[in-house]
Amino acid sequence: MKITMIGSGYVGLVSGACFADFGHDVVCVDKDESKIAALKEGRIPIFEPGLDALVSSNAAVGRLSFTTDLAQAVADADAVFIAVGTPSRRGDGHADLSYVYAAAEEIAQALTKFTVIVDKSTVPVGTGDEVERIIRGANPDAEFAVVSNPEFLREGAAIDDFKRPDRVVIGGDDPRGLEVMREIYRPLVLGRSPIIEMSRRGAELTKYAGNAFLATKITFINEIADLCEKVGADVQEVARGIGLDNRIGSKFLHAGPGYGGSCFPKDTLALLKTSQDYEAPQRIVEAVVAVNDNRKRAMGRKVIQACGGDVRDKTIAVLGLTFKPNTDDMRDSPAIAIVQTLQDAGATVRAYDPEGVEQAQKVLTDVVYCDNPYIAMEGADALAIVTEWDAFRALDLSRVKSLLKEPIFVDLRNIYPRDIIEKAGFHYTAVGR
Ligand code: UGA
């Protein structure tokens, strides 16, 4: 199949490279000339494990190419995926659909034969209808079908998620459109990934409902963690105790400093906007958003408490800044609120992150960025692990102890057993334990 990806950002690039690896012919389009020039030279603008190798091997055999010429890329395609950004609109939290609609206008002008327009961007219910209306209006003679095909990729594990998905969701009712989609995803059928077809609106809502449910699961265990601290229980034991119930499942029950990233915060807000527009309140999701927002600064206060309640003129070593490991993404990272809370209370922050420093520097000023975890700890009064990068899982504890002024060890991701840290002579603070 000939596939065109409109938008060579995170989703477009990962999906395009994986489709090419399945054997399809893929062209990735972007308006950003410098991004396309870089991709042509094999430079990947984002950090995602394995993506550079996948892009270069498929580009080398000619199955994956990059262009700024949307019209030419669309004219030839069996399917055109819209994979542009849908950020939260400033002011009201609605998903900003201007990039999606602009892409639809441009695609409409370039269609030459029956083409499936696939919406992969995360878009509110009804966007597919609007895309169809735009294309029909701009090019009344065009033959096309609009299909929804939401993505369920986790940053840091995106290639595996794409190639071995729990499911693929395809929304639409045009038989020719569905036929093309089945052909595109046929390589996954061998791996027994379920491919489910439903209405277009159902597929659009599935994406938001999925992310909102996962955000709810995390927030639920975070509140149970707070209760564990009060009643003297261990949230990891409780999470295991409930997670082994198949109806609940053990994933996404890791208590921590709250969820962040480019998806959960934005998609929960957009779902709430949709729920208001349709007068179907989503009170649970409303509570999840509020609880998670409050949690981030509360985690900063937790570090302050671990330091005896006052961090004025103290120095805190912060390990991990990105919203989760294996990404350089700082969007809505809990680390932002945590570092700012510490700074507001008069502390100096020395920080280390394996990939996130460049992005962090754009949002967090007055931080001393360090080249490795141990340099960050030099002369600090306490250590706080904020993101669970593998590199922090086996710290040299005697070295840590010799570098810190006080043996205060705060583990906001619960990656260490309490007894090991305490045996090494630290005061240990975790989440929900
Ligand atoms: C999320 C979903 O997991 C993907 O399925 C979805 O496709 C994607 O959003 C999207 O909409 O594009 P992602 O944001 O990359 O993926 O990251 P997650 O691994 O889901 O983590 C999100 C946040 O939740 C992180 O801050 C993480 O630390 C936190 N989290 C996750 C917890 O605090 N506890 C957990 O048990 C799991």
Side-chain angles (χ1 to χ4, degrees):
M1 288 265 135
K2 287 192 184 340
I3 295 175
T4 292
M5 278 287 156
I6 311 289
S8 300
Y10 190 78
V11 172
L13 209 49
V14 171
S15 307
C18 289
F19 278 141
D21 212 44
F22 287 164
H24 298 306
D25 282 324
V26 181
V27 185
C28 289
V29 182
D30 206 287
K31 282 198 183 321
D32 183 338
E33 287 180 16
S34 60
K35 187 190 273 184
I36 291 297
L39 284 165
K40 282 182 173 170
E41 287 168 14
R43 283 183 286 122
I44 312 291
I46 51 167
F47 175 76
E48 178 62 34
L51 186 59
D52 43 0
L54 202 66
V55 167
S56 60
S57 62
N58 283 285
V61 294
R63 280 198 302 262
L64 181 61
S65 59
F66 303 96
T67 183
T68 51
D69 186 347
L70 181 143
Q72 198 183 358
V74 168
D76 238 16
D78 296 303
V80 177
F81 283 72
I82 300 178
V84 297
T86 54
S88 280
R89 199 162 62 190
R90 221 172 280 238
D92 68 359
H94 260 294
D96 178 352
L97 297 173
S98 53
Y99 301 108
V100 173
Y101 294 153
E105 291 272 2
E106 280 191 68
I107 292 166
Q109 309 297 343
L111 294 174
T112 56
K113 59 182 171 67
F114 176 77
T115 310
V116 188
I117 318 300
V118 191
D119 198 353
K120 213 167 211 353
S121 299
T122 298
V123 292
V125 177
T127 304
D129 302 357
E130 185 62 15
V131 166
E132 188 171 320
R133 208 188 54 75
I134 289 171
I135 297 176
R136 177 87 48 232
N139 186 350
D141 299 326
E143 281 189 78
F144 67 97
V146 176
V147 167
S148 165
N149 173 219
E151 56 88 14
F152 303 106
L153 310 176
R154 283 166 305 164
E155 288 186 22
I159 292 171
D160 202 51
D161 282 352
F162 194 96
K163 291 191 159 185
R164 278 168 285 277
D166 288 345
R167 81 307 202 184
V168 172
V169 171
I170 296 171
D173 54 12
D174 182 288
R176 281 198 293 177
L178 292 176
E179 208 45 58
V180 170
M181 294 305 286
R182 287 179 202 131
E183 187 57 26
I184 287 174
Y185 280 106
R186 198 166 42 81
L188 288 181
V189 175
L190 298 172
R192 296 171 197 270
S193 294
I195 299 185
I196 50 176
E197 295 177 8
M198 60 175 76
S199 71
R200 197 162 62 198
R201 286 182 166 235
E204 288 169 341
L205 189 54
T206 296
K207 167 70 190 191
Y208 284 98
N211 272 0
F213 190 86
L214 292 170
T216 303
K217 206 171 172 190
I218 296 166
T219 307
F220 175 83
I221 203 67
N222 282 341
E223 286 203 309
I224 292 291
D226 295 345
L227 186 56
C228 284
E229 288 179 13
K230 303 281 184 199
V231 302
D234 181 332
V235 72
Q236 286 180 313
E237 292 175 358
V238 177
R240 188 169 153 75
I242 62 173
L244 286 172
D245 183 329
N246 279 332
R247 294 169 300 177
I248 296 174
S250 56
K251 291 180 182 164
F252 276 64
L253 285 179
H254 300 290
Y259 62 77
S262 61
C263 305
F264 290 170
K266 159 176 88 71
D267 293 349
T268 44
L269 279 186
L271 180 65
L272 291 181
K273 288 295 154 195
T274 304
S275 77
Q276 285 163 9
D277 290 348
Y278 286 84
E279 293 182 15
Q282 302 294 303
R283 305 249 190 264
I284 294 174
V285 182
E286 280 171 20
V288 165
V289 169
V291 169
N292 194 67
D293 279 350
N294 289 334
R295 187 169 190 82
K296 297 178 182 179
R297 278 189 81 88
M299 289 296 120
R301 294 196 294 276
K302 190 180 185 76
V303 178
I304 295 171
Q305 281 309 317
C307 297
D310 183 11
V311 291
R312 184 153 305 280
D313 301 326
K314 289 188 177 166
T315 299
I316 313 294
V318 168
L319 298 191
L321 295 168
T322 50
F323 80 99
K324 66 174 197 176
N326 300 321
T327 174
D328 62 353
D329 202 332
M330 282 296 296
R331 282 176 285 179
D332 276 306
S333 174
I336 298 171
I338 293 168
V339 167
Q340 286 170 342
T341 305
L342 294 170
Q343 290 177 328
D344 291 348
T348 298
V349 171
R350 294 171 66 83
Y352 169 73
D353 189 281
E355 295 291 340
V357 170
E358 203 183 314
Q359 298 301 325
Q361 281 167 335
K362 297 178 188 164
V363 276
L364 286 172
T365 47
D366 298 330
V367 169
V368 183
Y369 291 100
C370 303
D371 288 338
N372 78 47
Y374 298 103
I375 296 177
M377 291 174 221
E378 275 169 16
D381 295 272
L383 164 66
I385 297 177
V386 176
T387 313
E388 70 279 30
W389 285 89
D390 278 347
F392 308 150
R393 287 177 189 272
L395 292 170
D396 176 344
L397 295 177
S398 54
R399 192 169 167 201
V400 173
K401 186 121 182 285
S402 70
L403 290 169
L404 294 178
K405 278 199 263 178
E406 300 282 338
I408 297 171
F409 195 117
V410 184
D411 177 6
L412 295 181
R413 297 287 184 167
N414 289 342
I415 58 176
Y416 280 94
R418 173 180 294 279
D419 54 344
I420 288 182
I421 302 298
E422 287 183 343
K423 219 178 278 164
F426 292 93
H427 300 287
Y428 181 66
T429 303
V431 175
R433 291 154 65 212

